[in-house]
Amino acid sequence: DGGITQSPKYLFRKEGQNVTLSCEQNLNHDAMYWYRQDPGQGLRLIYYSQIVNDFQKGDIAEGYSVSREKKESFPLTVTSAQKNPTAFYLCASSIFPIRVGRHQPQHFGDGTRLSIL
Amino acid sequence: SQQGEEDPQALSIQEGENATMNCSYKTSINNLQWYRQNSGRGLVHLILIRSNEREKHSGRLRVTLDTSKKSSSLLITASRAADTASYFCATDAGAETSGSRLTFGEGTQLTVNP
């Protein structure tokens, strides 16, 4: 079955440490997204990528970095510069609208919960 | 503030009753989408309504969109305990070539009591 796999499910970060969250999709989607969700809140966009080797900052990119070397993969690194990283991180993908038209839903993984040690 | 704002923040009903959630937004949109999130899980897409549509149905779901009031509502009919979840609206207001970049509201927590 096609879908999005996020790993690990739980992650703990020590002070001053960078950690990387994995996101892999086998839906053949062009666009991929990273969101942060704080307790009782909606989703905020961190970074997104429409094609391989290209990505754009979202609304809260400071303290995060991404890469898009393969269509299937969009890892997110939470750097030590992110002073409040404790949150639920969600990865999503969608078909790029130029291919099939504007109105496409996003498909989500099951998230990674990051906490500070 | 968020593009989409939902109300109520929390809703508790009995099984079999209908649940209505509302979403308001601020700018012109291409479409508005509703998603569901079970506790500790990812979001699941429920329904998408385009800016030129006024109403859409999918099973027990009915969505309306009023672009003049910049608002939408999600109605779940004959609710079940399994409908207990958080429901989010999300708006796509981007340029044609910008990808389906969505802005999410803060959600409505629906509890359906057996």
Side-chain angles (χ1 to χ4, degrees):
Chain A
D1 283 340
I4 299 181
T5 301
Q6 290 189 242
S7 62
K9 192 169 177 65
Y10 300 95
L11 188 58
F12 297 91
R13 194 191 90 169
K14 296 179 182 178
E15 292 288 341
Q17 185 182 42
N18 294 354
V19 291
T20 298
L21 285 60
S22 170
C23 178
E24 304 276 333
Q25 54 98 0
N26 60 4
L27 299 166
N28 199 32
H29 285 172
D30 298 290
M32 296 186 74
Y33 312 82
W34 273 106
Y35 295 93
R36 170 180 172 140
Q37 186 178 31
D38 291 284
Q41 303 288 315
L43 278 64
R44 291 184 290 168
L45 183 64
I46 304 172
Y47 269 98
Y48 65 105
S49 168
Q50 297 176 26
I51 55 172
V52 174
N53 293 323
D54 185 55
F55 49 82
Q56 286 81 39
K57 292 181 180 180
D59 300 317
I60 55 166
E62 186 173 350
Y64 301 96
S65 66
V66 293
S67 63
R68 187 86 188 276
E69 297 176 2
K70 299 188 299 182
K71 186 175 184 178
E72 301 80 16
S73 178
F74 191 40
L76 173 74
T77 296
V78 183
T79 74
S80 56
Q82 173 49 248
K83 297 306 179 189
N84 183 24
T86 297
F88 190 48
Y89 291 87
L90 287 159
C91 178
S93 70
S94 69
I95 299 172
F96 190 51
I98 285 179
R99 291 186 187 278
V100 296
R102 178 83 214 164
H103 306 285
Q104 302 300 325
Q106 291 185 9
H107 301 257
F108 284 80
D110 264 345
T112 292
R113 192 167 299 279
L114 176 62
S115 303
I116 296 264
L117 277 179
Chain B
S1 61
Q2 293 272 8
Q3 161 78 319
E5 296 183 2
E6 282 122 309
D7 81 273
Q9 288 188 328
L11 180 60
S12 181
I13 59 174
Q14 296 300 122
E15 230 174 3
E17 294 181 341
N18 295 344
T20 299
M21 288 159 268
N22 302 297
C23 171
S24 60
Y25 57 92
K26 294 182 171 63
T27 67
S28 296
I29 60 173
N30 301 302
N31 63 64
L32 185 144
Q33 304 179 29
W34 285 91
Y35 289 81
R36 166 196 167 122
Q37 183 181 34
N38 285 59
S39 182
R41 303 294 300 273
L43 276 69
V44 175
H45 180 259
L46 295 176
I47 197 164
L48 181 154
I49 186 165
R50 303 183 184 198
S51 60
N52 61 354
E53 297 175 317
R54 292 297 165 257
E55 187 171 312
K56 206 160 180 182
H57 297 255
S58 176
R60 293 184 296 113
L61 305 180
R62 173 179 170 251
V63 168
T64 61
L65 179 65
D66 186 335
T67 52
S68 66
K69 295 182 180 177
K70 291 187 170 60
S71 68
S72 174
S73 68
L74 170 68
L75 168 68
I76 303 174
T77 60
S79 63
R80 305 165 182 167
D83 293 329
T84 294
S86 293
Y87 292 82
F88 294 90
C89 70
T91 52
D92 174 359
E96 191 66 30
T97 57
S98 70
S100 61
R101 175 177 171 161
L102 299 176
T103 302
F104 285 83
E106 296 193 352
T108 293
Q109 172 61 51
L110 173 66
T111 302
V112 182
N113 302 300

